[in-house]
Amino acid sequence: MQIHRKILKESNKLKVLILGIFLFAAIGIYAQDTIKAKVYTNREDNAKCLKCHGQHKFSMTSADQKVFTYKMPSDYVIDTAAYAVSNHWNFKCIDCHTDEYAVTPHNQTLRFQTISTCMDCHGGDAQFAKYNFEKIESEFQLSVHSSRHNAEFNCWSCHDAHTYKINARNKEQSVTKTVAYDNAICLSCHANFDKYQLIRDTVNPNVIAKHDWLPNQLNHFQKVRCIECHALYNDSTLVSHQIMPKIKAVKNCVQCHSSNSILLKTLYKYQVEESRKKQGFLNSSMLSELYVVGANKNIYMNIVSIVIVVLTLLAITVHIFFRNKK
Amino acid sequence: MAQKIFLYPAWIRFWHLLNALLCLLLIVTGLSMHYSNPGALVGFRVSVQVHNLSGIILSLNYLIFLVGNTITNNGVFYRFALKGMIDRLFKQFGYYTGGLFKGEKAPFPINESRKFNPLQQFTYGSIMYMAVPLVIISGFIMLYPELILPHFKGLIGVFLTDLIHITMGFFISVFLIIHVYFCTIGHTTISNFKSMINGWHEVH
């Protein structure tokens, strides 16, 4: 009887174990499904546009059924892979572009239509309040990009709506990658003669030569963004959009290389807000990816070094005292 | 009139004087960069330029030291036998912290065949053959940060290199303070300083 009861008890334990394994597996599968839950609801609609705009060539058929293949201008080619992982990944093309584009060949006058900018969708929307688009807009109005250029210079001149992906607030992304992403935006005009010529009649300045005063130039270009020195930072936006005239650009090393480094108010602002701290280090939020002479110091090492110097001087004083006493 | 022995030939005096001046410049500019803030006595950019240039000259000067110690017998004074070293170090330390005050004779008097006492041998040897090479190598790596491994064991390469550089720089600075003070322990307070100019050591 006792043996039978023991077998029953063991059998119950086994059932609980099997049930537990099934439950654990079910949660795992559910979790995986949740991660994969990104469903492209507008794939088919967008496919009609991307059939041509997703590649570097397109074809048209004439009335007599002759097929003509042309090269798609690079500005009209959408990087579909980048679009799929961008912030606007599930937008229909015609959410922003007029549905008149459904007719091919497109009516040439359509290109004169004004396309919505960030504020048209994000302005005044409580859901996007933390990004402070209103402040970004007012900063842009004060920036040289606004005052020195005509109305054609808008959000899309720098940010490609098709590939735009949040960077500075991306916890998964290294700051170095954010730097490369953001600097590529500036360099897309400032190091590209053709694009620069679209808005200026002058030859674009040579970025490398203009910054030859900067020690370890390559290191600076890889570790900090152009806007660290060229934009006026503020407290209300994470990434300043107020690009200053070149005469007002930061050229004083100590503004970054000091305890009160401006990098904490610009490039590392998000990390500072997230309070990524390492024990004992001054301005430690930078230390995960950057070491700035003058800005990063170990407080304990500083204290120990001062104590050693003081003790040395004290020992010398005592020694002098005994030498003079003899 | 103190007995004089010629211990410091011209090349040593030249190397030593240049080394001293460069060390002072490197310490001032190094501290200025480490504690960099607006309104600092020496500006950051000037500090970087002076520090880099002084570091390069100091490295070349170190070559003079190495070559000089190889082709002359000066290198012999830095060599010491490990056997009995601790006893000799303690004996010299005891003299500096006790015997000197009682007017006792130095346990290892300076002469033509012994330019340094055991404590000097140990500290000069450690500084010149360990701290200075490390500070030079880390300094050159800092001059070309793109050559540094971006990360090592989870820490930033530049940070680790600078840590070695400033730690060695700090030891050299503390050595300099002690070295200058101990130079006042001579026949007169300034006789050791004079000997590094004219080459003649006044026997204490």
Side-chain angles (χ1 to χ4, degrees):
Chain A
M1 188 69 178
Q2 262 193 343
I3 293 170
H4 179 71
R5 216 179 269 167
K6 201 174 176 183
I7 290 170
L8 200 70
K9 215 174 173 183
E10 289 298 317
S11 147
N12 282 344
K13 270 187 189 172
L14 196 68
K15 277 179 192 168
V16 170
L17 185 70
I18 291 168
L19 192 70
I21 291 168
F22 270 109
L23 196 66
F24 190 71
I27 292 169
I29 290 164
Y30 173 76
Q32 276 192 339
D33 277 354
T34 313
I35 292 165
K36 287 176 183 170
K38 198 172 178 182
V39 179
Y40 295 87
T41 52
N42 299 313
R43 189 194 294 263
E44 282 181 22
D45 283 326
N46 288 350
K48 292 171 196 161
C49 304
L50 294 175
K51 187 183 160 194
C52 291
H53 289 281
Q55 31 186 346
H56 291 271
K57 61 176 184 179
F58 66 101
S59 301
M60 287 197 296
T61 310
S62 64
D64 56 350
Q65 296 305 303
K66 267 189 176 174
V67 177
F68 292 87
T69 302
Y70 301 99
K71 185 176 178 291
M72 176 66 77
S74 57
D75 282 353
Y76 297 134
V77 178
I78 306 300
D79 180 342
T80 50
Y83 181 64
V85 292
S86 75
N87 279 59
H88 299 138
W89 63 278
N90 205 26
F91 275 52
K92 277 187 205 169
C93 302
I94 55 167
D95 284 341
C96 303
H97 303 280
T98 170
D99 58 4
E100 290 175 62
Y101 275 110
V103 179
T104 54
H106 304 316
N107 180 346
Q108 289 303 300
T109 57
L110 290 179
R111 65 175 61 200
F112 303 132
Q113 287 189 350
T114 310
I115 298 175
S116 312
T117 59
C118 303
M119 285 302 286
D120 294 316
C121 293
H122 297 294
D125 189 335
Q127 194 190 338
F128 298 100
K130 71 172 178 180
Y131 300 105
N132 210 343
F133 277 96
E134 290 74 16
K135 177 70 180 170
I136 290 174
E137 171 70 7
S138 64
E139 281 179 353
F140 170 68
Q141 297 301 338
L142 294 168
S143 125
V144 289
H145 282 159
S146 174
S147 61
R148 300 242 175 115
H149 303 303
N150 57 27
E152 280 176 40
F153 196 106
N154 59 26
C155 307
W156 312 132
S157 303
C158 300
H159 304 286
D160 184 345
H162 307 102
T163 55
Y164 178 78
K165 201 177 168 188
I166 205 147
N167 264 274
R169 289 173 205 268
N170 186 352
K171 285 181 192 171
E172 309 301 320
Q173 181 168 288
S174 69
V175 173
T176 312
K177 277 191 177 169
T178 302
V179 169
Y181 180 92
D182 282 355
N183 285 353
I185 293 174
C186 305
L187 294 174
S188 71
C189 280
H190 289 278
N192 182 330
F193 177 78
D194 295 339
K195 203 174 165 194
Y196 192 83
Q197 288 288 302
L198 287 175
I199 46 172
R200 294 279 290 197
D201 293 327
T202 53
V203 175
N204 55 344
N206 183 321
V207 175
I208 306 281
K210 280 280 170 189
H211 293 84
D212 59 1
W213 62 274
L214 202 57
N216 289 320
Q217 196 190 63
L218 179 67
N219 213 31
H220 277 96
F221 283 180
Q222 287 174 339
K223 299 290 181 189
V224 290
R225 300 171 300 185
C226 310
I227 55 170
E228 260 63 82
C229 301
H230 290 279
L232 186 68
Y233 60 87
N234 64 75
D235 292 331
S236 48
T237 54
L238 191 62
V239 179
S240 172
H241 283 66
Q242 189 174 336
I243 312 299
M244 300 180 289
K246 68 177 176 187
I247 198 160
K248 286 190 177 172
V250 169
K251 234 182 161 181
N252 188 358
C253 314
V254 86
Q255 286 195 260
C256 287
H257 291 275
S258 61
S259 338
N260 196 25
S261 174
I262 61 166
L263 292 176
L264 299 163
K265 295 159 192 159
T266 56
L267 182 58
Y268 284 85
K269 193 173 186 175
Y270 184 63
Q271 281 70 16
V272 171
E273 284 170 4
E274 292 285 297
S275 296
R276 291 183 197 170
K277 286 179 181 156
K278 277 188 185 157
Q279 195 65 31
F281 281 94
L282 191 67
N283 301 333
S284 58
S285 44
M286 292 181 198
L287 267 182
S288 57
E289 291 181 53
L290 188 67
Y291 176 70
V292 181
V293 173
N296 296 119
K297 305 181 248 284
N298 187 292
I299 296 156
Y300 301 136
M301 277 181 72
N302 280 2
I303 292 170
V304 169
S305 64
I306 290 166
V307 168
I308 291 173
V309 170
V310 169
L311 286 177
T312 304
L313 294 174
L314 197 68
I316 288 173
T317 312
V318 172
H319 203 265
I320 291 170
F321 172 76
F322 282 109
R323 268 173 74 190
N324 290 333
K325 206 180 163 193
K326 75 175 179 181
Chain B
M1 182 101 177
Q3 186 198 338
K4 287 183 176 180
I5 45 176
F6 190 74
L7 282 185
Y8 311 108
W11 77 267
I12 292 182
R13 283 178 278 147
F14 168 77
W15 162 78
H16 186 267
L17 185 67
L18 188 58
N19 211 42
L21 291 172
L22 291 167
C23 278
L24 287 173
L25 274 176
L26 286 162
I27 290 169
V28 170
T29 52
L31 281 171
S32 169
M33 283 188 280
H34 187 68
Y35 292 100
S36 162
N37 267 317
L41 193 64
V42 188
F44 191 87
R45 197 178 302 180
V46 173
S47 294
V48 170
Q49 286 165 346
V50 173
H51 200 83
N52 289 350
L53 188 65
S54 306
I56 292 166
I57 300 172
L58 182 119
S59 307
L60 295 173
N61 201 34
Y62 185 70
L63 286 179
I64 295 177
F65 171 79
L66 284 183
V67 172
N69 274 5
T70 309
I71 60 174
T72 71
N73 71 338
N74 193 55
V76 175
F77 299 121
Y78 290 85
R79 287 184 211 145
F80 53 85
L82 283 173
K83 197 178 171 188
M85 188 185 77
I86 304 288
D87 289 341
R88 291 195 300 276
L89 287 175
F90 270 105
K91 207 169 179 183
Q92 184 64 37
F93 185 76
Y95 169 71
Y96 277 140
T97 54
L100 176 73
F101 309 136
K102 295 174 198 160
E104 288 176 11
K105 285 204 164 185
F108 302 97
I110 303 305
N111 53 47
E112 284 92 342
S113 59
R114 184 170 49 220
K115 204 164 85 171
F116 304 138
N117 68 45
L119 260 178
Q120 286 172 321
Q121 265 186 331
F122 179 74
T123 49
Y124 295 0
S126 306
I127 291 293
M128 291 312 299
Y129 289 104
M130 282 173 67
V132 173
L134 276 173
V135 90
I136 288 175
I137 293 166
S138 55
F140 268 95
I141 296 174
M142 299 277 287
L143 263 183
Y144 301 98
E146 58 274 15
L147 300 177
I148 303 174
L149 278 176
H151 289 91
F152 183 76
K153 302 269 180 199
L155 288 166
I156 307 170
V158 183
F159 167 57
L160 279 177
T161 313
D162 196 38
L163 202 62
I164 295 169
H165 193 72
I166 58 174
T167 306
M168 290 304 125
F170 174 73
F171 284 141
I172 294 170
S173 310
V174 173
F175 162 77
L176 196 71
I177 297 171
I178 300 169
H179 182 56
V180 169
Y181 171 65
F182 270 66
C183 286
T184 65
I185 305 172
H187 181 67
T188 65
T189 311
I190 57 162
S191 59
N192 280 336
F193 297 101
K194 273 165 59 183
S195 65
M196 280 316 292
I197 295 167
N198 60 31
W200 290 91
H201 175 77
E202 292 180 28
V203 178
H204 186 199

